[in-house]
Structure formats: C-alpha cells, structure tokens
Amino acid sequence: MPGPALTWELADGVAIVTFDLKDSPVNKFSRAVKDEFLATFTALEQDRAVRAIAVFSGKPDNFIAGADIEEFVTIGSAAEAERLAAEGQEMMDRVTRFPKPVAVGIHGACLGGGLEFALACHYRVATDHPKTQLGLPEVQLGILPGASGCQRLPRLIGARAALDIILAGRSERAPKAFRLGMVDELVHPAILQDITIAAARRLADGWRPRRRRPGGVLAWLLDRNPLGRRLVFRAARRQVLERTKGHYPAPLAALEAVEHGLKHGMAEGLKREARLFGQLAVTDVSRKLVQIFFATTQLKKDFGIPNAPPPTAVQRLAIVGAGFMGSGIAGTAIVQAGVDVRMKDADLPRVATGLAAARAPLDDRLRRHRIAKYEYARLAALLSGGDGYAGFGRADLVIEAVFEDLSVKQQVLREVEAAARDDAVFASNTSTIPIARIAEAARRPERVIGMHFFSPVDRMPLLEVIPAARTAPGVVSTAVGFGRRLGKTVIVVKDTPGFWVNRILAPYANEVGHLLAEGASIEEIDAAAVGFGFPVGPVTLLDEVGLDVAEKVSQVMGAAFGERLQATAGVAALVKAGRLGRKSGRGFYRYGGGKKRGVDPAVYELLGVHPNGGPRLAEILQRLVDGMLNEAARAVGDSVVGTPRDGDIGAIFGFGFPPFRGGPLRHADDLGAARLVAELERLAERYGPRFAPCEVLQEQARRGSKFYP
Ligand code: 3H9
C-alpha cells in the first residue's frame, strides 16, 4: 500500500521510486517519511523481480529539502536530537549497504538531508538546470549535517572542497557540483529519468563507475596525507573564527565532526557527528536561525496588505537616474528577472556610464563561467538607455533613483507621468522622503509607491516597499512581487520618515557623535558594535553609506522627530571638508586600493574632539544598542512594520543586526522590557532625554508582555 510519500513501479527489472510528499510543496525527511523509506527498501530487497533502484522526486522543481525543520525544532533535549541524527545515519547506511544498486536522479534543490541521501546512493545523476542546487545549508540553521554528511562529502570530494561547502552552508549549482565530483553525470532535464534508469540497470549488470579522486599534487599534499590535512583544518578553523567571531558554534562543530571522522574512521566520525548535532540542535543560536528561516519563508508569500490582489507581472522596467543606485537596480533586474530595462539620465555620457555599471554583474558572471556567452549576449541586449523618455511608454514599472530631493523627485514624477502609460507603476527609490509628499505632484497618486533598495543593490538582500495613503492595493502587490523576482526579501512598511531601517538606525548612528564628543575613539565605538555581532560598527557603516547620504538622512529625521533623533554636527563637518566616506577615499577612515586603511587622526581635529578614554566599552555598547531597541519598539507602536517579524527581518537583512540574536525585537524580548526600561531610564538620567524609554516598552514592562508572546 502506498504511504504518504513514496510510490514505486517496476520497469524491466528497475524499481522506479518516486518521492512525492503529500500536502507539502517540498520533499522532506520526517520520522514518518524515514520509516516509509525503510519499509519500502525492505520490500524492494525482498522482491526478486527488482534488480536495481532509481529514485526521483515527484515535485516539479524540488528534489529533497532535507530533514523536516519543523520536526527537529520541537526536540526538547540534546539526547533526543542525537538519537534523531543517529537514526538518520542508520537510514543512509541502509541505502549504501543495500544489496541492489541504487541510482538517484536529481532535479531541483537537493539540500541537507536530501544531499546526504544522494551521497549514500551508489550513483548520482543531476540535471544541468539552474534550479538544481546541491548543498549542506545546516550551519545556516545553527546545526550541522547530522545524517552522515560530515563523513560522506569529504570522502567523496576531498576535505578542502567539502569544508568549503559544509562550513559556509553553501549550495552549488549542478555544473560546479559535477566538477567537484559530487555527482557522476550531468544531463538535460528531459533525459534525467532515462539516464538514471539506464545507470541503475548497468550497475545491476556489474558495471562499476570509475570515480576520479580529487586529483593533482595539491590534493595529494593536502587531502590525502595527515600532515597536509592538519594544515587544511588549521586554516579552516582560523577562517571560521574570523567570520563568526565566536558567535556561531555550528561551523566549528562541523569542522570537528569532519576532522574526527577522517582521523578515527567513519564509525567514530558518525558518533561524534550525531553527538554534536544533538548539542547544537537545542542551542538558542539554532532556535534563532530557524526562526529566521521560517520568517523569510513566510515573507515569500506575504504581500504585506490584507486581501492583496495578484501582482502584475513586470516585463518592462524603466529607470530614471543612471547613477550608482539606478544602475544597480538595472543590473539586478536583468540578471535576476531577465526583464527589458530602459534607463534615462540627463546626458548621454552619464547614461553610458550607467549602462556599463549595470552590465558589471553580468560581466562578472561571464568571467566566472556562471553563464554561457549566448546567455550573456541575450541578457546584455535587454539593457538600453537615452537622455529622453523614449521607450517609457512601454514600461510596466518605472523606478526613480535620482538625487534625494523632494522637488527634483516631484519633477521627475511629472515627466514620467507624461511619458508613461496610465497603468504604469511609479516607484520612488527614496531612503527617507515620505512617498505621500512625492505623490502630491502626481496626477495618478494611486500608481505611486516607494521601493527603497539598499546599496549595493546586487548584494543587499532587503527591499522596503512603502505604500502611501492613496496607493492602490494592486500597486503594492506588483512592487512586492517584482522585488521578490529580484531575489529580495521584501517588507512592506508605513510611509513615515526613514521608514523602518533608517528610523531605527538613526539613534545608533547619532550616538557616534555623542560618544566621540565624550572622548571615545572611533576604533572603540566600532569594536563595541562588532563585539555584539554587527558585521561592521556604526562609524564604518556611516563611511560605507556615504557621509553625504547620511547627512541628508539625518536632516530629514531630525526635522521629522525633533531632538530625539537630531544628529550632532560631526558628519556635516566632515562632508564640508570633502570627506564623503569610502567612495571618496576618506571619511572617518582612510581608504586605498579598495581597503580600509585605518582611522584618519585628522578627523578628531576636524571634529574638535580628543579620544581620551571616554566611556567604557560596555557603556558604549549599551548606548548604541539600547537606543536602537527603544526606537524600534517606538516604531512598532507607530505601526511602521506590520509585525515584529517584519521588523526583525528588516534589521537583519537591512544592516546586519546579528542574526544569532534574532533581530532587535526578539533581542528586546530576551532582555525583557523591565530590564530594558530600567537601563534606558539610567541612560536618560545620565545622557539626556533621547534615551527616555518609549511607551511601548513601558507598557510591556507594566504588563510583563512581549513582542512575540
Ligand atoms: C537537515 O537536513 C539536517 C540533516 O543534516 C540532519 C538531520 C538528522 N523542513 O522556501 P519555500 C517548507 S536540516 C520543513 O517557500 P522555494 C517551507 O517552510 C535542513 N519545511 O520554497 C515552506 O512551507 P510553507 C536543511 C521546509 O521553492 C515550503 O516548504 N535544509 C523545509 O522558494 C516552501 O518553501 C534546508 O535548510 C524543510 N527542510 O525554496 C533547506 N524546506 O509553504 C531549507 C522547505 O508552509 N529550504 N520547507 O510556508 C530551502 O532552502 C527552500 O525551502 C528550498 C525551496 C530551496 C528547498
């Protein structure tokens, strides 16, 4: 009798097994599915007519997404999680030791436990389709590949290549996976079934595939002898510590599982792997990372407004402003969405520069053999531009990315409305100016919306979509849908100055000026934030954003929110002195050859301050973080984000709020409102009313409530 996941049929001695988990968009291994696998394999073993097995997924574009994450988050103890891993390992072992050959045909995502299963099979065929990705993303969930992945992958492709994948939680596209030796054959999707079945049959006839072991002198030196391997592990450990700063235990544990297995053999390796999996699965870090996974998955389906109508599919995009942001959006649009892009700027040289910049990510892909030449030519041909609005009449969506100035943006809006179709959407890529103000100039305000991209557009994963009061619901869906096609995680936020990300960054960035004035050094301020887990400190962040941009933002925020979010004069003084941050080679730090070159002591003079000890590191950190948490709580009270989930994802993907802390609102919950309010009251007494705890936190402290009940 067929179970909920597996069916099979016999074709000329080969059992064709299809994994298609009912009522689920992806295949995943739960305990029930694992039991069904074991029962099916027992039946296949006993059936004399079956000479070989070929396994496929019944899902259109997904192979197996790994272990069921929902199941393992319910686990209460490390011992129970260890048992789960050991059972997973036993299932994989059963497949490897199966007396009849097992071939697997992979199309779509083959991740985590899914790849561990494929590695346990005797022969792997994968499609060369872009959707086919093979990887072990476990460390991104704060765990490690616990169903023998830490043992099988290094044995198949060598320790170095395996560590690259396991420690970063990376996925490889099929062609790269083939080059690395993770799969035996690469085929077009149309012939996946035939080739896999034929391989199973050949294996049953006694054929044995000849696998190249990772070759070359380097492989011999580093992968196959213990001394070389020790070097590999030492270097990997150093890199992991540099990257994680000790905040994430999973990559180090995975390293230990791999190393232990290579030193003491498969059986010992498996034991260690299961034990470490058990320990990791119940850590707070893992819980937080899993919450982020589910939050981003939910956001893929959420259009941010109730009863959202379906989005219009954007086929033609037009962009006004061929500068850094405009060309960044254009480049991302052709690479990710394959849409036709028309750019406009004031004169042709600027347009030409913008077009070249937009092509840069494509050039990069060609150089790295990520796309074929014909694909490059096809995508590059999607880009065009001019100094007028020719071609804008065909656009479904027009994005404005001009200078951050209300009257300039309104002028562009008027011109676009004259040139574009009545049903085209006009989106402003503003970082602070309320969309309703821009839309005051519109003839069709219901078609106007904000799309706040972050710089550099191709690398920053967040998009804020900002409907104004009069924006039509369909326009919101279209902007959100298009943002997703660009590969962005999209949050819909309220039309208030600074929206979400810049609003909660404002007190954090402003505090830099206060701290410097009190004698803190630039390095100390940054070090405090990095120690907390931010990718860079607030001073470096200002340099990266651009001090001129930061100055504009802070003016808008100061005007809108008054003293609480008023910047000190520091940034303006630096801008006046021609220091615009990284892009101009000088900001708070000096830059040369694409690298940060250390603090420029001249900055202290320009600001009229002297680093002389200043506040203690812990005090600096509390001021930076508590100010941000307070503003985040206040913005939630103002309904700037629809849910705490959106706020946390926005902070994590927008500026790298430490993922292992779950976002500012989860972090506030962890601290507890009562404690946070007490800390803020102390800071307010000492440093001024900007720290006064907001009503939302006070209310939570009174009631003992939280953002996430
Ligand atoms: C692991 O394998 C541990 C083992 O080493 C050891 C064990 C002992 N579990 O993202 P989508 C759901 S750890 C549960 O929108 P897409 C997802 O929540 C696992 N649920 O689709 C969503 O549910 P809903 C390592 C899962 O096409 C629905 O499927 N694996 C899982 O854009 C659709 O998802 C990973 O970390 C899962 N494993 O992307 C892979 N996977 O519809 C995680 C998905 O109710 N998954 N769901 O909201 C992914 O990266 C993407 O989902 C994938 C598909 C690329 C597969």
Coordinates of all heavy atoms in Angstrom, one line a residue, residues 569-651:
A569 N 26.8 67.7 15.1 CA 27.3 68.4 13.9 C 28.4 67.6 13.1 O 28.8 68.0 12.0 CB 27.7 69.8 14.2
G570 N 28.9 66.5 13.7 CA 30.1 65.9 13.2 C 30.1 65.5 11.8 O 31.0 65.9 11.0
V571 N 29.1 64.8 11.3 CA 29.1 64.3 10.0 C 29.1 65.4 9.0 O 29.8 65.4 8.0 CB 27.9 63.3 9.7 CG1 27.7 63.0 8.3 CG2 28.1 62.0 10.5
A572 N 28.3 66.5 9.3 CA 28.2 67.6 8.4 C 29.6 68.3 8.3 O 30.0 68.7 7.1 CB 27.2 68.6 8.9
A573 N 30.3 68.3 9.4 CA 31.7 68.9 9.3 C 32.6 68.2 8.4 O 33.4 68.7 7.6 CB 32.3 69.0 10.7
L574 N 32.5 66.8 8.4 CA 33.3 66.0 7.6 C 32.9 66.2 6.1 O 33.8 66.3 5.2 CB 33.2 64.6 8.0 CG 33.7 64.2 9.4 CD1 33.9 62.7 9.5 CD2 35.1 64.8 9.7
V575 N 31.6 66.2 5.8 CA 31.2 66.4 4.5 C 31.7 67.7 3.9 O 32.2 67.8 2.8 CB 29.6 66.4 4.4 CG1 29.1 66.7 3.0 CG2 29.1 65.0 4.8
K576 N 31.6 68.8 4.7 CA 32.1 70.1 4.3 C 33.6 70.0 3.9 O 34.0 70.7 3.0 CB 31.9 71.1 5.5 CG 31.6 72.5 5.0 CD 31.0 73.3 6.1 CE 31.1 74.7 5.8 NZ 31.0 75.5 7.0
A577 N 34.3 69.2 4.6 CA 35.7 69.1 4.4 C 36.0 68.1 3.2 O 37.2 67.7 3.0 CB 36.5 68.6 5.6
G578 N 35.0 67.7 2.5 CA 35.1 66.9 1.3 C 35.3 65.4 1.6 O 35.7 64.6 0.8
R579 N 35.0 65.0 2.9 CA 35.1 63.6 3.2 C 33.7 63.0 3.1 O 32.9 63.2 3.9 CB 35.6 63.5 4.7 CG 37.0 64.0 4.9 CD 37.3 64.1 6.4 NE 38.7 64.3 6.5 CZ 39.7 63.4 6.6 NH1 39.3 62.1 6.6 NH2 40.9 63.7 6.7
L580 N 33.6 62.1 2.1 CA 32.3 61.5 1.9 C 32.2 60.1 2.3 O 31.2 59.4 2.0 CB 31.9 61.7 0.4 CG 31.9 63.1 -0.1 CD1 31.4 63.2 -1.6 CD2 31.1 64.1 0.7
G581 N 33.3 59.6 2.9 CA 33.3 58.1 3.2 C 34.1 57.3 2.2 O 34.9 57.9 1.5
R582 N 33.8 56.0 2.2 CA 34.6 55.1 1.4 C 34.7 55.6 -0.1 O 35.8 55.5 -0.7 CB 34.1 53.7 1.5 CG 34.8 52.7 0.6 CD 34.1 51.4 0.6 NE 34.5 50.5 1.6 CZ 35.6 49.7 1.6 NH1 36.3 49.6 0.5 NH2 35.9 48.9 2.6
K583 N 33.6 56.0 -0.6 CA 33.5 56.3 -2.1 C 34.5 57.4 -2.4 O 34.9 57.5 -3.6 CB 32.1 56.6 -2.5 CG 31.5 57.9 -1.9 CD 30.1 58.0 -2.3 CE 29.4 59.1 -1.4 NZ 28.0 59.1 -1.5
S584 N 34.8 58.3 -1.5 CA 35.8 59.4 -1.8 C 37.2 59.1 -1.3 O 38.0 60.0 -1.3 CB 35.2 60.7 -1.3 OG 35.4 60.8 0.1
G585 N 37.4 57.9 -0.7 CA 38.7 57.6 -0.2 C 39.0 58.1 1.2 O 40.0 57.7 1.8
R586 N 38.1 58.9 1.7 CA 38.3 59.5 3.0 C 36.9 59.7 3.7 O 36.0 60.3 3.1 CB 39.0 60.9 3.0 CG 40.4 60.9 2.4 CD 41.0 62.2 2.5 NE 40.1 63.3 2.1 CZ 40.3 64.6 2.4 NH1 41.3 64.9 3.1 NH2 39.5 65.5 2.0
G587 N 36.8 59.3 4.9 CA 35.6 59.6 5.7 C 36.2 59.6 7.1 O 37.2 60.4 7.4
F588 N 35.6 58.9 8.0 CA 36.2 58.7 9.4 C 37.5 57.9 9.2 O 38.5 58.2 9.9 CB 35.3 58.0 10.3 CG 34.1 58.8 10.8 CD1 32.9 58.8 10.1 CD2 34.3 59.6 11.9 CE1 31.9 59.6 10.6 CE2 33.2 60.4 12.3 CZ 32.0 60.4 11.7
Y589 N 37.5 57.0 8.3 CA 38.7 56.2 8.0 C 39.3 56.6 6.7 O 38.6 57.3 5.9 CB 38.3 54.7 7.9 CG 37.9 54.0 9.2 CD1 36.5 54.1 9.6 CD2 38.8 53.4 10.0 CE1 36.1 53.4 10.7 CE2 38.4 52.7 11.2 CZ 37.0 52.8 11.5 OH 36.6 52.2 12.7
R590 N 40.5 56.2 6.4 CA 41.1 56.4 5.1 C 41.0 55.1 4.3 O 41.0 54.0 4.9 CB 42.6 56.7 5.2 CG 42.8 58.2 5.6 CD 44.3 58.3 5.9 NE 44.6 57.4 7.0 CZ 45.8 57.1 7.4 NH1 46.8 57.7 6.8 NH2 46.1 56.2 8.3
Y591 N 40.9 55.2 3.0 CA 40.7 54.1 2.1 C 41.7 54.1 1.0 O 42.0 55.2 0.5 CB 39.3 54.0 1.5 CG 38.2 53.9 2.6 CD1 37.7 55.0 3.2 CD2 37.8 52.7 3.1 CE1 36.8 55.0 4.3 CE2 36.9 52.6 4.1 CZ 36.4 53.7 4.7 OH 35.5 53.6 5.8
G592 N 42.2 53.0 0.6 CA 43.2 52.9 -0.5 C 43.2 51.5 -1.1 O 43.1 50.6 -0.3
G593 N 43.3 51.4 -2.4 CA 43.3 50.1 -3.1 C 42.1 49.2 -2.6 O 42.3 48.0 -2.5
G594 N 41.0 49.9 -2.5 CA 39.8 49.1 -2.2 C 39.7 48.6 -0.7 O 38.8 47.8 -0.3
K595 N 40.7 49.1 0.1 CA 40.7 48.6 1.5 C 40.6 49.7 2.5 O 41.0 50.9 2.2 CB 42.0 47.9 1.8 CG 42.1 46.5 1.2 CD 43.0 45.6 2.1 CE 43.0 44.2 1.6 NZ 44.0 43.9 0.7
K596 N 40.1 49.4 3.7 CA 40.1 50.4 4.8 C 41.5 50.5 5.4 O 42.1 49.4 5.6 CB 39.1 49.9 5.9 CG 38.7 50.9 6.9 CD 37.4 50.5 7.5 CE 37.7 49.8 8.8 NZ 36.4 49.5 9.6
R597 N 42.0 51.7 5.5 CA 43.4 51.9 5.9 C 43.6 52.4 7.3 O 44.6 53.0 7.6 CB 44.1 52.8 4.9 CG 44.2 52.3 3.5 CD 45.3 51.3 3.3 NE 45.3 50.8 2.0 CZ 45.7 49.6 1.6 NH1 46.2 48.8 2.5 NH2 45.8 49.2 0.4
G598 N 42.6 52.3 8.1 CA 42.8 52.9 9.5 C 42.2 54.2 9.7 O 41.9 54.9 8.7
V599 N 42.0 54.6 10.9 CA 41.4 55.9 11.2 C 42.3 57.0 10.8 O 43.5 56.9 11.0 CB 41.1 56.0 12.8 CG1 40.7 57.4 13.2 CG2 40.0 55.0 13.2
D600 N 41.7 58.1 10.3 CA 42.5 59.3 10.0 C 42.5 60.2 11.2 O 41.4 60.7 11.5 CB 41.8 59.9 8.8 CG 42.7 61.0 8.2 OD1 43.6 61.5 8.9 OD2 42.4 61.4 7.0
P601 N 43.6 60.4 11.8 CA 43.7 61.2 13.0 C 43.2 62.6 12.8 O 42.7 63.3 13.7 CB 45.1 61.2 13.4 CG 45.8 60.2 12.6 CD 44.9 59.9 11.4
A602 N 43.3 63.1 11.5 CA 42.8 64.4 11.2 C 41.4 64.6 11.5 O 40.9 65.8 11.7 CB 43.1 64.7 9.7
V603 N 40.6 63.5 11.5 CA 39.2 63.6 11.8 C 38.9 64.2 13.2 O 38.0 65.0 13.3 CB 38.5 62.2 11.6 CG1 37.1 62.2 12.2 CG2 38.5 61.8 10.2
Y604 N 39.7 63.8 14.1 CA 39.4 64.3 15.5 C 39.6 65.8 15.6 O 38.8 66.5 16.2 CB 40.4 63.6 16.5 CG 40.1 62.1 16.7 CD1 41.1 61.2 16.3 CD2 39.0 61.7 17.3 CE1 40.8 59.8 16.4 CE2 38.7 60.3 17.4 CZ 39.6 59.4 17.0 OH 39.4 58.0 17.2
E605 N 40.6 66.2 14.8 CA 40.8 67.7 14.8 C 39.7 68.4 14.2 O 39.2 69.4 14.7 CB 42.1 68.0 14.0 CG 43.3 68.4 15.0 CD 44.6 68.4 14.2 OE1 44.7 69.2 13.3 OE2 45.4 67.5 14.5
L606 N 39.3 67.9 13.0 CA 38.1 68.5 12.3 C 36.9 68.6 13.2 O 36.1 69.5 13.1 CB 37.8 67.6 11.1 CG 38.3 68.0 9.7 CD1 38.0 67.0 8.7 CD2 37.6 69.3 9.3
L607 N 36.7 67.5 14.0 CA 35.5 67.5 14.9 C 35.7 68.2 16.2 O 34.8 68.4 17.0 CB 35.2 66.0 15.2 CG 34.8 65.1 14.0 CD1 34.5 63.7 14.5 CD2 33.6 65.7 13.3
G608 N 37.0 68.6 16.4 CA 37.3 69.3 17.7 C 37.1 68.4 18.9 O 36.7 68.8 20.0
V609 N 37.5 67.1 18.8 CA 37.3 66.2 19.9 C 38.7 65.4 20.1 O 39.5 65.4 19.2 CB 36.2 65.1 19.7 CG1 34.9 65.8 19.5 CG2 36.5 64.2 18.5
H610 N 38.8 64.8 21.3 CA 40.1 64.1 21.6 C 39.7 62.8 22.2 O 39.1 62.8 23.2 CB 41.0 64.9 22.5 CG 41.2 66.3 22.0 ND1 42.1 66.6 21.0 CD2 40.6 67.5 22.3 CE1 42.0 67.9 20.7 NE2 41.1 68.5 21.5
P611 N 40.2 61.7 21.6 CA 40.0 60.4 22.3 C 40.8 60.4 23.5 O 42.1 60.5 23.5 CB 40.5 59.4 21.3 CG 41.3 60.1 20.3 CD 41.0 61.6 20.4
N612 N 40.2 60.2 24.7 CA 40.9 60.3 25.9 C 40.4 59.3 26.9 O 40.2 59.6 28.1 CB 40.9 61.7 26.5 CG 39.5 62.1 26.8 OD1 38.6 61.4 26.6 ND2 39.3 63.4 27.1
G613 N 40.1 58.1 26.5 CA 39.5 57.1 27.4 C 38.0 57.1 27.2 O 37.4 56.1 26.7
G614 N 37.3 58.2 27.5 CA 35.8 58.2 27.3 C 35.1 57.1 28.0 O 35.6 56.5 29.0
P615 N 33.9 56.9 27.6 CA 33.1 55.8 28.3 C 33.7 54.4 28.1 O 34.4 54.2 27.2 CB 31.7 55.9 27.6 CG 31.7 57.2 26.8 CD 33.1 57.5 26.5
R616 N 33.3 53.6 29.1 CA 33.8 52.2 29.0 C 33.1 51.5 27.8 O 32.0 51.9 27.4 CB 33.5 51.4 30.3 CG 34.3 51.8 31.5 CD 33.8 51.1 32.7 NE 32.4 51.4 33.0 CZ 31.4 50.6 33.0 NH1 31.6 49.3 32.7 NH2 30.1 50.9 33.2
L617 N 33.7 50.4 27.4 CA 33.2 49.7 26.2 C 31.8 49.2 26.4 O 30.9 49.3 25.6 CB 34.1 48.5 25.9 CG 34.3 48.1 24.4 CD1 34.9 49.3 23.6 CD2 35.2 46.9 24.3
A618 N 31.5 48.7 27.6 CA 30.2 48.1 27.9 C 29.1 49.3 27.9 O 28.0 49.1 27.4 CB 30.2 47.5 29.3
E619 N 29.6 50.4 28.3 CA 28.7 51.6 28.3 C 28.4 52.0 26.9 O 27.3 52.4 26.5 CB 29.3 52.7 29.1 CG 28.4 54.0 29.3 CD 27.4 53.8 30.4 OE1 27.2 52.6 30.9 OE2 26.8 54.8 30.8
I620 N 29.5 52.0 26.1 CA 29.3 52.4 24.6 C 28.3 51.5 24.0 O 27.3 51.9 23.3 CB 30.7 52.3 23.9 CG1 31.7 53.3 24.4 CG2 30.5 52.4 22.4 CD1 33.0 53.3 23.8
L621 N 28.5 50.2 24.2 CA 27.6 49.2 23.6 C 26.1 49.4 24.1 O 25.2 49.4 23.2 CB 28.1 47.8 24.0 CG 27.3 46.7 23.3 CD1 27.4 46.8 21.8 CD2 27.8 45.3 23.8
Q622 N 26.0 49.6 25.4 CA 24.6 49.8 25.8 C 23.9 51.0 25.2 O 22.8 50.9 24.8 CB 24.6 49.9 27.4 CG 23.2 49.6 27.9 CD 23.3 49.5 29.5 OE1 23.3 50.5 30.1 NE2 23.3 48.3 29.9
R623 N 24.7 52.0 25.1 CA 24.1 53.2 24.5 C 23.7 53.0 23.0 O 22.7 53.4 22.5 CB 25.1 54.4 24.6 CG 25.1 54.9 26.0 CD 26.3 55.9 26.2 NE 26.2 57.1 25.5 CZ 27.0 58.1 25.6 NH1 28.0 58.1 26.5 NH2 26.9 59.2 24.9
L624 N 24.6 52.3 22.3 CA 24.3 52.1 20.9 C 23.1 51.2 20.7 O 22.2 51.4 19.9 CB 25.6 51.4 20.2 CG 26.8 52.2 20.0 CD1 28.0 51.4 19.5 CD2 26.5 53.4 19.0
V625 N 23.1 50.1 21.5 CA 22.1 49.0 21.3 C 20.7 49.5 21.9 O 19.7 49.4 21.2 CB 22.5 47.7 21.8 CG1 21.4 46.7 21.7 CG2 23.7 47.2 21.0
D626 N 20.8 49.9 23.1 CA 19.5 50.3 23.8 C 18.8 51.4 23.0 O 17.6 51.4 22.9 CB 19.7 50.7 25.2 CG 20.0 49.4 26.1 OD1 20.2 48.4 25.5 OD2 20.1 49.6 27.3
G627 N 19.6 52.3 22.5 CA 18.9 53.4 21.7 C 18.2 52.9 20.5 O 17.1 53.3 20.2
M628 N 18.8 51.9 19.9 CA 18.2 51.3 18.7 C 16.9 50.5 19.1 O 15.9 50.6 18.5 CB 19.2 50.4 18.0 CG 18.6 49.7 16.8 SD 19.7 48.5 16.1 CE 20.8 49.5 15.1
L629 N 17.0 49.7 20.2 CA 15.9 48.9 20.6 C 14.7 49.8 21.0 O 13.6 49.5 20.7 CB 16.3 48.0 21.8 CG 17.4 47.0 21.6 CD1 17.5 46.0 22.8 CD2 17.3 46.2 20.3
N630 N 15.0 50.9 21.6 CA 14.0 51.8 22.1 C 13.3 52.4 20.9 O 12.0 52.4 20.8 CB 14.7 52.9 22.9 CG 13.7 53.7 23.7 OD1 12.6 53.3 24.0 ND2 14.1 54.9 24.1
E631 N 14.0 52.8 19.8 CA 13.4 53.4 18.7 C 12.6 52.3 17.9 O 11.6 52.6 17.3 CB 14.5 54.0 17.8 CG 13.9 55.0 16.7 CD 13.1 56.1 17.3 OE1 13.4 56.6 18.4 OE2 12.1 56.5 16.6
A632 N 13.2 51.1 17.9 CA 12.5 50.0 17.2 C 11.1 49.8 17.8 O 10.1 49.6 17.2 CB 13.3 48.7 17.2
A633 N 11.1 49.7 19.2 CA 9.9 49.5 19.9 C 8.9 50.6 19.6 O 7.7 50.4 19.4 CB 10.2 49.4 21.4
R634 N 9.4 51.9 19.6 CA 8.5 53.0 19.4 C 7.9 52.9 18.0 O 6.7 53.2 17.8 CB 9.3 54.3 19.5 CG 8.5 55.5 19.4 CD 9.3 56.8 19.6 NE 9.6 57.1 21.0 CZ 10.7 57.1 21.6 NH1 11.8 56.8 20.9 NH2 10.9 57.5 22.9
A635 N 8.8 52.5 17.0 CA 8.3 52.4 15.6 C 7.3 51.3 15.5 O 6.3 51.4 14.7 CB 9.5 52.2 14.6
V636 N 7.4 50.2 16.2 CA 6.4 49.2 16.2 C 5.1 49.8 16.7 O 4.0 49.6 16.2 CB 6.8 48.0 17.1 CG1 5.6 47.0 17.3 CG2 7.9 47.2 16.4
G637 N 5.2 50.6 17.8 CA 4.0 51.3 18.3 C 3.4 52.2 17.3 O 2.1 52.4 17.3
D638 N 4.2 52.8 16.4 CA 3.7 53.6 15.4 C 3.2 52.8 14.1 O 3.0 53.4 13.1 CB 4.7 54.6 14.9 CG 5.1 55.6 16.0 OD1 4.4 55.7 17.0 OD2 6.2 56.3 15.9
S639 N 3.2 51.5 14.2 CA 2.8 50.6 13.1 C 3.7 50.8 11.9 O 3.2 50.7 10.8 CB 1.4 50.8 12.7 OG 0.6 50.6 13.9
V640 N 5.0 51.1 12.1 CA 5.8 51.3 10.9 C 6.0 49.9 10.2 O 6.1 49.8 9.0 CB 7.2 51.9 11.3 CG1 8.1 51.9 10.1 CG2 7.0 53.3 11.9
V641 N 6.1 48.8 11.0 CA 6.0 47.5 10.4 C 4.8 46.8 10.8 O 4.2 47.1 11.9 CB 7.3 46.6 10.8 CG1 8.5 47.0 10.1 CG2 7.5 46.7 12.3
G642 N 4.3 45.9 10.0 CA 3.0 45.2 10.2 C 3.2 44.2 11.4 O 2.2 44.1 12.2
T643 N 4.3 43.6 11.5 CA 4.5 42.6 12.6 C 5.9 42.7 13.1 O 6.8 43.1 12.3 CB 4.3 41.1 12.0 OG1 5.3 40.9 11.0 CG2 3.0 40.9 11.4
P644 N 6.2 42.2 14.3 CA 7.6 42.2 14.8 C 8.5 41.4 13.9 O 9.6 41.7 13.7 CB 7.5 41.5 16.2 CG 6.1 41.8 16.6 CD 5.2 41.8 15.4
R645 N 7.9 40.3 13.3 CA 8.7 39.5 12.3 C 9.3 40.4 11.2 O 10.5 40.3 10.9 CB 7.7 38.5 11.7 CG 8.3 37.7 10.6 CD 7.3 37.1 9.7 NE 6.6 38.1 8.8 CZ 5.5 37.9 8.1 NH1 4.9 36.8 8.1 NH2 5.0 38.9 7.4
D646 N 8.5 41.3 10.6 CA 9.0 42.1 9.5 C 10.1 43.0 10.1 O 11.1 43.3 9.4 CB 7.9 43.0 8.9 CG 6.8 42.1 8.2 OD1 6.9 40.9 8.3 OD2 5.9 42.7 7.7
G647 N 9.9 43.5 11.3 CA 10.9 44.4 11.8 C 12.2 43.7 12.0 O 13.3 44.3 11.7
D648 N 12.2 42.5 12.6 CA 13.4 41.8 12.8 C 14.1 41.4 11.5 O 15.3 41.6 11.4 CB 13.1 40.6 13.7 CG 13.0 40.9 15.2 OD1 13.6 42.0 15.6 OD2 12.3 40.2 15.9
I649 N 13.3 40.9 10.6 CA 13.9 40.5 9.3 C 14.5 41.8 8.6 O 15.6 41.8 8.0 CB 12.9 39.9 8.4 CG1 12.5 38.5 9.0 CG2 13.4 39.7 6.9 CD1 13.6 37.5 9.1
G650 N 13.8 42.9 8.7 CA 14.3 44.2 8.1 C 15.6 44.6 8.7 O 16.6 45.0 8.0
A651 N 15.8 44.4 10.0 CA 17.0 44.8 10.6 C 18.2 43.9 10.3 O 19.3 44.3 10.1 CB 16.8 44.9 12.2

